[in-house]
Amino acid sequence: MIAVIIRIALRYGAGVLVARGLLGAGDAAALSADSDIQMALETGIGLALSLVTEAWYALARKFHWSK
């Protein structure tokens, strides 16, 4: 069970690192200044990441890539 939790945490951590690398300093400052935009972005990105990871896991189970 702990491996599942670690895997999920690493997926979200990787998403945060990718997002930080794609945004410039000016963009990041503008986004972090408005809490409503920040909350909407966090929710949207979290939902998108979870959808992609669950779809990938479903494909892995379908094609027997996972154990």
Side-chain angles (χ1 to χ4, degrees):
M1 183 66 181
I2 192 74
V4 173
I5 295 170
I6 291 172
R7 184 177 64 206
I8 291 169
L10 287 173
R11 286 179 185 164
Y12 284 111
V16 169
L17 290 175
V18 169
R20 287 182 58 114
L22 294 176
L23 292 176
D27 296 332
L31 292 176
S32 64
D34 190 0
S35 63
D36 291 335
I37 293 175
Q38 186 178 10
M39 184 174 54
L41 282 174
E42 288 175 355
T43 303
I45 290 171
L47 289 172
L49 285 174
S50 64
L51 178 67
V52 168
T53 55
E54 293 303 322
W56 186 262
Y57 183 69
L59 284 173
R61 287 184 54 97
K62 180 178 180 181
F63 293 115
H64 305 291
W65 298 337
S66 65
K67 291 184 178 182

